Amino acid sequence: MKQTLRVLLVNKFYYPRGGDCICMINLEALLRRLGYEVAIYSMAYPQNLPCETSRYFASEVSFAGGLVDKVKAANRLFGEGDVKRSFQRILDDFRPDIVHFHNIHSYLSPIIVKLAHEMGCRTVWTLHDYKLLCPSYNCLCHGEICEACFTDRTQVLRRKCMKGSLVASALAYGEALWWNRNKLQHWVDTFVCPSSFMAQKMRACGYDYTKLAVVCNFIEQAKLDFFSQDDDPEQPGGEPYYCYVGRLSEEKGIRLLLEAAQALSYRLYVAGDGPLAGELREKYASEKVRFMGHLSSKEVVQLVKQACTMVVPSVWYENNPLSVIESLCMGTPVVGAEVGGIPELIRDGDGRLFRMGDKDELVEAVEAVMSVGNLNRQAISERAQKRFSEARYWQELKRVYGIES
């Protein structure tokens, strides 16, 4: 294809709300630098970044409003309302060669994949969560890893997996039946799985392996340059410490880490906020455990670069966590739970793995990394920055896009 190829990027939000949004925004910047024509389609939302194509965006829906709002949002799940008209307009006007979808369930709808396919566009869908396999997105049921819906979708109803609500679970069940595997596989040329773990789960659930491509996420070059500034990664400043950066919620395993911290002599810095923040502060805040709250990007980089290790104690199927990737790119080793896509990121010399949920193994892993004085942090950084570079990502994505080298 020529370099005038047009790519339409689609995500339900267009601001740095989470990993899916960040990945798409970074991809947009990369494609523009490479000289491709790029357009964005999303849902109208007050926090969205300025965008030339915002006039095409689907209207905002919310599941948190009154009855009228809830009905409108429920209709959106099944492709009703203005989403079809608005998406068809941008297809007609922009005429994309490739439509690259990211997170589109709920606030947009898979109906737009059908429209792109019918127009003859190449359709690519990056999977940032497990929605195509699990109606409640995260393969969790009441705090425990669950694959019941892989073989029986009625389980989401029986177990009320969606927020403990029968109504929400019924909608998720109906959505899963309507946008089923047969439809989606027919409309999508390639599903991009950021981890081999995700691809294995997709294949186990009956998705055609020839439509699956494993392409790990990347860190934009500007951020890599920022990571390399100022501090010498070989010399963490001040007293030795380890850190956690992320949401303070059950699936992240933060409670396990805080319990393990009681058996360690080093100080733990916890950066982030979430539903457990108040409870955990009250119970664990001490000289050993410092809660930092929400930090700016610059403050997070400073915290992680100076740490002896960062801990990712998740108790759910993490897909391709940017926190691990960024830590390694800074030269900071990672202690990670052996679950989901985490083990694929932590290679020999990059840190340690521990059995998910095992407090004793977690203590042992942190102690082992903290006590090693000859870790080559510069080598960790250089190795990671090559693995997670824009150049590597683009070489792999070009094959997915069908672009000749």
Side-chain angles (χ1 to χ4, degrees):
M1 293 184 184
K2 298 179 181 178
Q3 267 205 321
T4 52
L5 165 137
R6 292 185 174 126
V7 183
L8 176 59
L9 300 177
V10 184
N11 195 58
K12 54 191 179 184
F13 296 104
Y14 184 56
Y15 71 99
R17 179 186 177 100
D20 58 317
C21 305
I22 293 169
C23 287
M24 192 196 75
I25 291 168
N26 289 345
L27 175 57
E28 177 195 5
L30 174 60
L31 290 171
R32 291 190 189 281
R33 287 199 301 274
L34 291 169
Y36 295 99
E37 292 186 48
V38 182
I40 302 296
Y41 181 79
S42 185
M43 180 185 77
Y45 197 70
Q47 292 176 258
N48 281 345
L49 300 173
C51 182
E52 292 180 0
T53 52
S54 60
R55 65 187 181 278
Y56 295 103
F57 287 8
S59 62
E60 182 180 356
V61 295
S62 173
F63 291 89
L67 180 61
V68 173
D69 292 331
K70 284 183 170 65
V71 170
K72 182 180 177 183
N75 285 336
R76 177 67 59 82
L77 295 178
F78 301 98
E80 298 301 323
D82 69 338
V83 67
K84 287 188 288 188
R85 294 190 301 274
S86 61
F87 191 71
Q88 189 64 58
R89 280 180 55 224
I90 197 169
L91 288 177
D92 291 340
D93 291 352
F94 184 62
R95 311 297 295 182
D97 301 290
I98 297 168
V99 184
H100 190 157
F101 302 93
H102 290 264
N103 271 355
I104 61 173
H105 275 86
S106 300
Y107 294 98
L108 294 176
S109 167
I111 190 65
I112 62 180
V113 184
K114 179 176 185 285
L115 295 176
H117 169 77
E118 290 176 344
M119 190 167 178
C121 306
R122 188 175 186 88
T123 52
V124 175
W125 191 343
T126 293
L127 306 175
H128 297 279
D129 56 39
Y130 299 91
K131 180 65 173 176
L132 302 192
L133 311 180
C134 167
S136 63
Y137 291 91
N138 54 16
C139 297
L140 284 173
C141 181
H142 307 299
E144 300 290 332
I145 287 177
C146 173
E147 296 185 358
C149 284
F150 285 14
T151 53
D152 180 9
R153 294 295 172 88
T154 64
Q155 291 296 327
V156 70
L157 272 174
R158 297 176 183 179
R159 303 180 184 210
K160 299 180 184 177
C161 295
M162 285 294 286
K163 304 175 183 178
S165 165
L166 181 60
V167 173
S169 299
L171 284 172
Y173 173 65
E175 188 183 19
L177 291 184
W178 188 249
W179 307 118
N180 58 61
R181 183 184 67 221
N182 291 337
K183 286 180 179 178
L184 298 182
Q185 283 204 136
H186 179 65
W187 301 332
V188 176
D189 292 307
T190 304
F191 295 98
V192 174
C193 303
S195 65
S196 294
F197 179 86
M198 167 71 82
Q200 289 163 8
K201 292 300 179 186
M202 289 285 287
R203 190 169 180 182
C205 288
Y207 279 84
D208 182 352
Y209 75 94
T210 65
K211 290 201 168 196
L212 304 176
V214 178
V215 183
C216 179
N217 291 323
F218 72 98
I219 304 295
E220 67 274 27
Q221 187 58 49
K223 181 168 278 191
L224 293 181
D225 293 341
F226 178 60
F227 290 165
S228 301
Q229 290 175 2
D230 299 326
D231 303 308
D232 179 358
E234 299 282 358
Q235 303 292 332
E239 64 171 329
Y241 68 86
Y242 60 113
C243 69
Y244 168 89
V245 178
R247 183 169 166 78
L248 305 187
S249 54
E250 294 289 358
E251 76 278 3
K252 292 297 185 178
I254 180 61
R255 198 183 295 277
L256 176 75
L257 174 59
L258 291 168
E259 291 173 0
Q262 309 310 305
L264 289 160
S265 58
Y266 305 99
R267 181 173 291 169
L268 167 64
Y269 286 92
V270 177
D273 211 336
L276 300 181
E279 174 195 342
L280 297 180
R281 277 178 181 272
E282 184 176 348
K283 185 174 181 179
Y284 293 103
S286 65
E287 281 299 309
K288 268 190 177 183
V289 180
R290 298 287 183 86
F291 288 86
M292 312 292 287
H294 175 75
L295 299 181
S296 68
S297 297
K298 184 176 181 180
E299 289 170 331
V300 168
V301 171
Q302 185 177 23
L303 177 71
V304 175
K305 283 184 71 173
Q306 296 298 318
C308 292
T309 185
M310 188 181 76
V311 184
V312 182
S314 295
V315 291
W316 76 293
Y317 287 160
E318 291 274 11
N319 182 7
N320 190 236
L322 286 174
S323 58
V324 176
I325 295 173
E326 291 188 347
S327 182
L328 295 176
C329 286
M330 293 181 216
T332 301
V334 176
V335 170
E338 198 167 3
V339 64
I342 293 174
E344 299 169 40
L345 301 175
I346 303 174
R347 299 179 176 177
D348 289 343
D350 291 339
R352 289 282 293 269
L353 294 168
F354 68 94
R355 189 184 300 118
M356 184 196 76
D358 191 319
K359 184 178 74 173
D360 293 336
E361 277 202 14
L362 172 54
V363 170
E364 181 184 342
V366 173
E367 189 69 55
V369 176
M370 294 290 293
S371 62
V372 174
N374 60 350
L375 272 176
N376 190 335
R377 296 167 69 97
Q378 187 64 39
I380 292 174
S381 175
E382 290 176 357
R383 192 162 55 238
Q385 292 199 21
K386 184 176 180 180
R387 284 175 65 196
F388 307 121
S389 68
E390 291 179 346
R392 185 275 314 164
Y393 179 84
W394 179 238
Q395 284 301 313
E396 296 176 8
L397 191 64
K398 277 201 299 187
R399 290 193 288 272
V400 173
Y401 280 2
I403 300 173
E404 297 178 3
S405 298

